[in-house]
């Protein structure tokens, strides 16, 4: 089945540094990628929607200059957390529709970010 | 009020029990309904999906959608300890649009 490979699975960084998270669609073309954030024991909060070759669409309240999303190819979308702070510590997950008749989307395995 | 409300749980059942997980929603435009299972520190995995109203069965899992009542359910028969996870309902209005998720129900199946 369709697979979205997400890296890294966990990362620890210092306050003020930037962290890049990658999501690759391995056997299908992901024209759209959804980026979520999840706090412990809470549901997925949609941060932004990226479309290949165009600017991402951010949800209300999400700082686009802090969470930079790039979707330069049909198989790669990246999320960069810039000038990270401890409150950015969270679980970040990407997801893409496979458009193969399966209405469910394929999720990456998630990235646990800890900012110290 | 949230667009999607999910029974909060947590649920704890003995092995072999029938489990019922439920979500209600307010947006009548939702057409696509999904159930995902999420293990701790992992991305969600798709369990069931349904378009519009009706029932769908896959092994021990049955998904039901009642659009007239804006209510969806997931039933798990003969529950197993390996079913212990958080279950998320999700729904959307278009085939490739963004999904709206419930808050999740954590299920523990005890041997």
């Amino acid at each position: 089945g369709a697979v979205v490979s997400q890296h890294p699975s966990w990362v620890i960084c210092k306050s003020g540094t930037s962290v890049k998270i990658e999501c690759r669609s391995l056997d299908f073309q992901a024209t759209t990628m959804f980026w979520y954030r999840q706090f412990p024991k809470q549901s997925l909060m949609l941060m932004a929607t990226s479309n290949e070759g165009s600017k991402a669409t951010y949800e209300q309240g999400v700082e686009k200059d802090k969470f930079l999303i790039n979707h330069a190819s049909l198989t790669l979308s990246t999320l960069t957390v810039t000038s990270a702070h401890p409150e950015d510590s969270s679980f970040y997950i990407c997801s893409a529709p496979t458009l193969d008749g399966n209405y469910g989307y394929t999720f990456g395995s998630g990235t646990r970010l800890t900012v110290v | 009020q949230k667009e999607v409300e999910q029974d909060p749980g947590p649920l704890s059942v003995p092995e072999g029990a029938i489990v019922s997980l439920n979500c209600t929603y307010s947006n009548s435009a939702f057409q696509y309904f999904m159930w995902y299972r999420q293990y701790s520190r992992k991305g969600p995995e798709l369990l069931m999906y349904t378009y519009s109203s009706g029932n769908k069965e896959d092994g021990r899992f049955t998904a039901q959608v009642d659009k007239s009542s804006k209510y969806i359910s997931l039933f798990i028969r003969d529950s197993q300890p390996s079913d212990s996870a958080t279950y998320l309902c999700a729904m959307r209005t278009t085939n490739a649009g963004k999904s709206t998720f419930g808050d999740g129900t954590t299920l523990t199946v005890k041997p």
Side-chain angles (χ1 to χ4, degrees), chain B residues 53-74:
Chain B
S53 284
N55 295 353
K56 188 172 184 179
E57 186 175 322
D58 184 2
R60 296 184 295 111
F61 299 90
T62 300
Q64 290 185 349
V65 174
D66 181 351
K67 290 190 69 182
S68 62
S69 300
K70 296 190 180 67
Y71 188 89
I72 71 171
S73 298
L74 177 70

Side-chain angles (χ1 to χ4, degrees), chain B residues 5-6 19 21 34 37 46 55 65 71-72 80 86 90 94 97 102-103:
Chain B
E5 298 275 3
Q6 184 167 358
V19 177
L21 304 166
M34 283 70 61
R37 177 172 62 194
L46 179 68
N55 295 353
V65 174
Y71 188 89
I72 71 171
Q80 303 294 309
T86 296
T94 61
D103 286 344

Side-chain angles (χ1 to χ4, degrees), chain A residues 38 43 59 102-103 105 112, chain B residues 36 38 41 46 92 96-97 102:
Chain A
Q38 187 177 35
S43 191
E59 296 298 303
N102 178 344
Y103 301 133
Y105 293 172
R112 182 158 302 280
Chain B
Y36 291 88
Q38 185 178 24
R41 299 174 183 266
L46 179 68
R92 60 180 190 265

Side-chain angles (χ1 to χ4, degrees), chain A residues 10-113:
Chain A
W10 61 272
V11 58
I12 301 174
C13 71
K14 292 184 177 181
S15 287
T17 61
S18 296
V19 173
K20 179 183 284 189
I21 301 169
E22 292 189 350
C23 281
R24 294 180 183 272
S25 56
L26 297 187
D27 47 6
F28 69 101
Q29 294 183 331
T31 55
T32 301
M33 191 73 74
F34 299 98
W35 286 93
Y36 295 89
R37 183 174 182 177
Q38 187 177 35
F39 292 103
K41 299 189 185 299
Q42 293 187 25
S43 191
L44 286 76
M45 182 191 78
L46 181 66
M47 299 174 65
T49 303
S50 71
N51 291 289
E52 186 267 337
S54 62
K55 290 185 178 180
T57 302
Y58 290 81
E59 296 298 303
Q60 190 173 8
V62 178
E63 299 175 62
K64 62 181 181 181
D65 294 331
K66 181 167 187 61
F67 299 100
L68 299 179
I69 291 174
N70 184 283
H71 196 148
S73 78
L74 288 171
T75 59
L76 176 64
S77 178
T78 62
L79 166 66
T80 301
V81 183
T82 63
S83 186
H85 289 93
E87 57 265 31
D88 298 324
S89 299
S90 190
F91 192 57
Y92 294 88
I93 315 174
C94 59
S95 172
T98 56
L99 299 179
D100 59 358
N102 178 344
Y103 301 133
Y105 293 172
T106 297
F107 282 81
S109 55
T111 298
R112 182 158 302 280
L113 170 64

Side-chain angles (χ1 to χ4, degrees), chain B residues 11-68:
Chain B
L11 285 178
S12 181
V13 302
E15 184 175 355
I18 296 174
V19 177
S20 173
L21 304 166
N22 307 293
C23 288
T24 58
Y25 62 94
S26 57
N27 186 350
S28 58
F30 285 137
Q31 295 281 353
Y32 301 85
F33 304 91
M34 283 70 61
W35 285 95
Y36 291 88
R37 177 172 62 194
Q38 185 178 24
Y39 293 111
S40 182
R41 299 174 183 266
K42 299 291 184 183
E45 57 176 321
L46 179 68
L47 277 178
M48 302 282 286
Y49 64 90
T50 310
Y51 172 70
S52 195
S53 284
N55 295 353
K56 188 172 184 179
E57 186 175 322
D58 184 2
R60 296 184 295 111
F61 299 90
T62 300
Q64 290 185 349
V65 174
D66 181 351
K67 290 190 69 182
S68 62

